[in-house]
Amino acid sequence: MDIATLETKLMLALFLPGLLVVFFTRVTFHHLVGLALTIALIAASVYAGYTHNWILYAADALSLTVGFWYATRMVNRAKRQEDQVDE
């Protein structure tokens, strides 16, 4: 594998899964569904052979964790604001 390709894949693995979790959470209004859809996309890319290095797996996992944490905060904040409006 070319080093430039590895660097590009690493940068994408650090940011894209987390952004996808947040995006899918915004679309579906549920953070677990957003996480599941993102994991399904990553699994499909691994199956297709685009990811084949342990450091890319670790970067994907880190990004998923951060994205899920942020999506959970986002959902909880929206629920609190909705509860305050209802009162």
Side-chain angles (χ1 to χ4, degrees):
M1 178 176 6
D2 187 15
I3 192 70
T5 305
L6 178 62
E7 289 174 353
T8 303
K9 286 183 179 182
L10 184 60
M11 289 302 293
L12 286 173
L14 284 173
F15 295 107
L16 197 57
L19 291 174
L20 283 173
V21 171
V22 173
F23 172 73
F24 286 139
T25 299
R26 294 288 293 174
V27 170
T28 63
F29 301 108
H30 201 279
H31 57 287
L32 292 175
V33 175
L35 180 68
L37 289 172
T38 306
I39 289 174
L41 283 176
I42 290 173
S45 73
V46 168
Y47 181 74
Y50 295 117
T51 305
H52 50 274
N53 193 339
W54 67 270
I55 198 159
L56 295 176
Y57 297 139
D60 281 339
L62 175 68
S63 182
L64 278 172
T65 304
V66 171
F68 183 69
W69 170 77
Y70 183 76
T72 303
R73 284 190 61 209
M74 183 177 65
V75 167
N76 290 337
R77 189 177 326 129
K79 285 180 183 178
R80 277 196 313 267
Q81 287 178 350
E82 184 180 305
D83 290 342
Q84 288 177 355
V85 170
D86 289 341
E87 291 177 353

